[in-house]
Amino acid sequence: MTTMRCFILCCLLSWPAMADLAAGEEALLKGDYAAALKEFQPLAQNGNRDAQLNLGLMYLRGQGVTEDYTEAFKWLRGAADQGLTAAQSYVGVMYEKGEGVARDDAEAAKWYRKAVEHRDRTAAANLGKMLLEGRGVGKDDDEAATLLLQAAQQGDVSAQSNIGMLYAQGRGVDQDYEEAVRWFFFAAVQGDPLSEFNLGVMYYQGTGVDQDFDEAEKWYRKAANHGQSKAKANLGVMYAQGQGVPQDYVRAYMWFTLAAAGGDAVSSKNRDFIAGKMTPVQVGEAQRLAREWKPETN
């Protein structure tokens, strides 16, 4: 009887806290940050890990408070220490980036591993990349591939891009160009610039897919619109040679100019070479197009 009374009393005592937390989360969803802060602060100070997570994220994002990474880290670390998976993943990110705490790759990897135990996809994607690079952990392509594939299957875009690269290179997995294309496509349709570029390369070369210059040009253009200088360089080559597009030295010069401005050294040489095949009027037109170029929305 005493045990039952204690159980009922404990439940009754927890209900107000749960109601306050729910009220805070509802206010947060509505964008009423002042109300959310009012609910979360006392709960977080009393050790409620969900409130600590929410309060930490508010400081991280500057929602209703001045953006403060140090304060964000304090509350997220409190929630992480209590085993909250999402908080462990965020703490890993903050250690990796040096936000609110001194950068420490080994600590980042440690917290990612804790979150990975509960299949957190962001932690799996980030730890997988660290394993590929040997940052904070020993380099391990096999484990990296396992984690990246897990995160990719859960929908993480960066992991989809990276596992595509591993399949293309045969690192940690058997080389499989068709699988590489499949994962590049999943990430590219979500707007990942590197995957758009890599998919363009695969179509241009006919690797893992039938060679298709039209498709290559389409994906290079998307990547170029997202700032990929190498995609701009490859568009210059396609216009210079008339691959998938009508041969057009003016457009080739424009793309080489844009790629060179983005740091692609080879494009500077290609631009100068193609200029030798153009009239001064054409060069002037190409320079005007380069000055006026703006990314397309796609």
Side-chain angles (χ1 to χ4, degrees), residues 173-188:
V173 291
D174 291 335
Q175 190 171 57
D176 188 329
Y177 293 130
E178 291 183 1
E179 274 296 288
V181 168
R182 188 168 76 92
W183 286 113
F184 287 150
F185 178 79
F186 286 149

Side-chain angles (χ1 to χ4, degrees), residues 42-287:
L43 292 173
Q45 289 165 354
N46 286 329
N48 183 289
R49 67 180 193 173
D50 294 300
Q52 290 174 338
L53 170 65
N54 285 316
L55 187 57
L57 292 178
M58 290 182 74
Y59 275 106
L60 188 66
R61 298 165 179 167
Q63 295 174 321
V65 292
T66 302
E67 186 180 275
D68 187 331
Y69 288 156
T70 301
E71 194 71 8
F73 180 82
K74 179 183 80 173
W75 292 113
L76 290 169
R77 177 63 188 265
D81 284 336
Q82 295 188 71
L84 196 59
T85 301
Q88 292 170 340
S89 185
Y90 276 110
V91 166
V93 170
M94 296 188 80
Y95 269 116
E96 186 177 2
K97 293 183 177 180
E99 293 178 341
V101 65
R103 179 173 176 174
D104 189 326
D105 286 340
E107 277 293 302
K110 182 186 83 172
W111 285 103
Y112 286 148
R113 283 198 183 280
K114 290 178 182 290
V116 164
E117 290 175 5
H118 300 281
R119 296 188 64 81
D120 183 273
R121 73 179 194 181
T122 300
N126 291 344
L127 181 57
K129 187 175 181 183
M130 294 182 80
L131 286 161
L132 282 179
E133 299 170 355
R135 285 190 299 108
V137 288
K139 194 172 182 179
D140 189 330
D141 287 354
D142 291 342
E143 186 182 4
T146 298
L147 290 174
L148 289 170
L149 184 58
Q150 172 189 313
Q153 290 170 336
Q154 291 176 288
D156 187 274
V157 175
S158 68
Q160 291 171 344
S161 178
N162 284 327
I163 195 65
M165 187 62 69
L166 293 189
Y167 273 114
Q169 297 174 345
R171 289 180 61 189
V173 291
D174 291 335
Q175 190 171 57
D176 188 329
Y177 293 130
E178 291 183 1
E179 274 296 288
V181 168
R182 188 168 76 92
W183 286 113
F184 287 150
F185 178 79
F186 286 149
V189 294
Q190 296 179 75
D192 181 69
L194 183 57
S195 294
E196 291 169 341
F197 170 74
N198 284 332
L199 195 55
V201 171
M202 303 297 268
Y203 273 110
Y204 185 85
Q205 295 178 342
T207 305
V209 68
D210 290 338
Q211 187 177 52
D212 190 328
F213 288 146
D214 290 339
E215 280 293 302
E217 190 272 340
K218 180 182 82 173
W219 289 108
Y220 282 153
R221 189 176 292 274
K222 287 179 180 290
N225 285 327
H226 288 143
Q228 279 287 324
S229 293
K230 289 190 179 298
K232 296 173 184 176
N234 287 358
L235 283 169
V237 171
M238 294 186 77
Y239 273 101
Q241 297 181 354
Q243 296 171 318
V245 292
Q247 188 177 56
D248 187 332
Y249 291 153
V250 171
R251 292 286 172 181
Y253 187 106
M254 180 198 79
W255 284 116
F256 287 143
T257 299
L258 293 170
D264 188 77
V266 175
S267 289
S268 295
K269 297 178 181 178
N270 286 339
R271 178 194 57 203
D272 295 342
F273 175 79
I274 209 75
K277 299 176 179 289
M278 300 166 63
T279 67
V281 172
Q282 287 176 319
V283 170
E285 174 66 7
Q287 291 173 340

Side-chain angles (χ1 to χ4, degrees), residues 20-21 23-25 27-28 32-46 51 55 58-59 63-65:
D20 292 343
L21 180 65
E25 290 174 343
L28 189 62
D32 188 349
Y33 300 133
L37 197 65
K38 182 180 178 181
E39 301 293 349
F40 291 147
Q41 279 183 324
L43 292 173
Q45 289 165 354
N46 286 329
L55 187 57
M58 290 182 74
Y59 275 106
Q63 295 174 321
V65 292

